[in-house]
Amino acid sequence: MSTSRSLLPSPALIESVEQSEIDYMTDRMRAIQSRPGNPEGIELQTFGGATAFTSGTMPWPAFNTVKGLTDTDIGQLEPILEFFRARGRKVQLEIVPSRVGPDFLGRMAELGLYASGIHASLIAQPREIPDRWSGSDANLDRIVIRELHAGEMETYAMLHCRGTGLPDHGILPVQQNNEVLHGREGWTFLVAESDGTPAATAVLFERDRRASLTFAATLPEFRGRGLHRRLIERRIGEAFLRNNELVVGQCAFLSQSHRNMEHAGMRLGYVRTAWTEANTHPAKESVRS
């Protein structure tokens, strides 16, 4: 298998990277929507070639976003805004380089949208990963990574909440929203244990020979020990063993996650911008994820 440096930028590669993000988000939201009574108020709707995701209980941008926009969707911008306004949600439009041009960007500005953030998508070709890293770091020898069993999703939710700064009363809803993913085709949940204590978690989603590193969190007291990097390596290795052709990861640009992905051999695919509508009033927040 060649290295990620052979992944030369092209419109087809950019489209494939974005599609991997659309695939995991679509599958995740549909799984949560399938819970009896759809308690999170999940909705998915297509606008031209784009997909809009929204939740009645989860106000965060990741759950109220639009992916897959291209120049051909310029006439869909106003219907998209109305869709989110009707639900009391602030929309986030994810704009990928090369997929839209000046006319599209100008129209967003005319409609009162502004560039509110940037996000990095990193890529690699899957490769074989040894069971242990070489080197003299004793911390690495104390790390064990394994798959989480179906009955351990409370552990996953605890790591998710405490690793991202959410309060503990969010553990139950996070658990419920991810139990519907465990065992679902394409999803793998991992836990990293340090000296036998669950300390970090990460998720892998696979579809159409693309593997997405969809989520990772480390408890504050275990940071700086190499767990996040090791989880990245493990998922790249799993993608190789399962015959995937591309690995994609998302993170805040120049964050520690970005640096860890680069250190693990991934490289920048593109930096996308998030566009947000000003002067909207989203519904009261709750803790769900």
Side-chain angles (χ1 to χ4, degrees):
M1 180 68 69
S2 55
T3 68
S4 62
R5 297 187 185 279
S6 67
L7 292 174
L8 297 177
S10 69
L13 177 60
I14 296 301
E15 182 178 357
S16 184
V17 172
E18 185 181 30
Q19 189 60 50
S20 74
E21 299 183 20
I22 294 170
D23 287 345
Y24 90 74
M25 187 63 175
T26 299
D27 200 72
R28 181 181 188 185
M29 295 290 269
R30 284 179 175 163
I32 298 173
Q33 185 183 49
S34 72
R35 291 179 55 199
N38 187 17
E40 308 294 2
I42 300 296
E43 292 184 70
L44 290 79
Q45 184 161 320
T46 58
F47 292 88
T51 304
F53 308 89
T54 188
S55 167
T57 62
M58 298 183 286
W60 303 286
F63 294 96
N64 298 276
T65 193
V66 183
K67 295 177 180 283
L69 289 160
T70 67
D71 275 330
T72 61
D73 301 312
I74 191 169
Q76 301 293 334
L77 287 173
E78 288 177 275
I80 286 171
L81 295 181
E82 289 302 321
F83 175 80
F84 282 91
R85 288 169 184 161
R87 289 152 180 81
R89 285 290 180 241
K90 180 177 285 190
V91 65
Q92 173 180 271
L93 305 182
E94 300 183 15
I95 304 302
V96 173
S98 80
R99 304 284 279 163
V100 304
D103 290 345
F104 193 101
L105 297 171
R107 183 58 181 150
M108 288 198 297
E110 290 173 356
L111 292 171
L113 293 156
Y114 66 96
S116 56
I118 58 175
H119 209 72
S121 291
L122 286 90
I123 57 175
Q125 286 184 314
R127 68 184 189 277
E128 189 172 9
I129 302 292
D131 289 338
R132 292 180 181 272
W133 291 336
S134 60
S136 58
D137 189 342
N139 284 328
L140 302 181
D141 293 330
R142 297 157 62 181
I143 298 171
V144 174
I145 295 179
R146 62 176 179 82
E147 287 193 33
L148 277 164
H149 304 302
E152 297 181 290
M153 294 310 289
E154 183 178 359
T155 297
Y156 168 80
M158 178 275 291
L159 294 169
H160 177 122
C161 289
R162 295 178 183 173
T164 58
L166 291 174
D168 278 1
H169 66 75
I171 291 175
L172 179 59
V174 170
Q175 176 184 345
Q176 293 170 332
N177 284 340
N178 285 277
E179 283 176 335
V180 292
L181 297 175
H182 192 284
R184 188 176 174 94
E185 183 177 2
W187 292 91
T188 302
F189 288 79
L190 299 172
V191 61
E193 298 176 337
S194 180
D195 290 332
T197 300
T201 189
V203 183
L204 179 68
F205 176 74
E206 301 163 84
R207 175 166 292 173
D208 295 334
R209 304 188 75 177
R210 292 185 292 256
S212 293
L213 315 186
T214 65
F215 178 78
T218 303
L219 295 179
E221 62 267 32
F222 287 96
R223 291 173 186 164
R225 303 187 188 186
L227 278 75
H228 181 244
R229 181 182 163 194
R230 185 68 186 92
L231 284 163
I232 294 169
E233 295 267 7
R234 170 65 179 265
R235 287 177 289 172
I236 292 173
E238 291 289 342
F240 173 81
L241 293 173
R242 301 175 190 181
N243 298 313
N244 289 282
E245 296 179 342
L246 178 68
V247 177
V248 179
Q250 302 85 35
C251 60
F253 185 67
L254 292 184
S255 63
Q256 184 61 52
S257 294
H258 185 170
R259 292 191 288 272
N260 286 341
M261 288 183 188
E262 293 267 8
H263 198 71
M266 303 184 73
R267 70 184 182 98
L268 190 64
Y270 56 72
V271 175
R272 61 171 165 82
T273 54
W275 288 66
T276 304
E277 186 179 19
N279 301 321
T280 57
H281 303 283
K284 184 178 179 180
E285 296 191 3
S286 61
V287 178
R288 297 282 195 274
S289 187

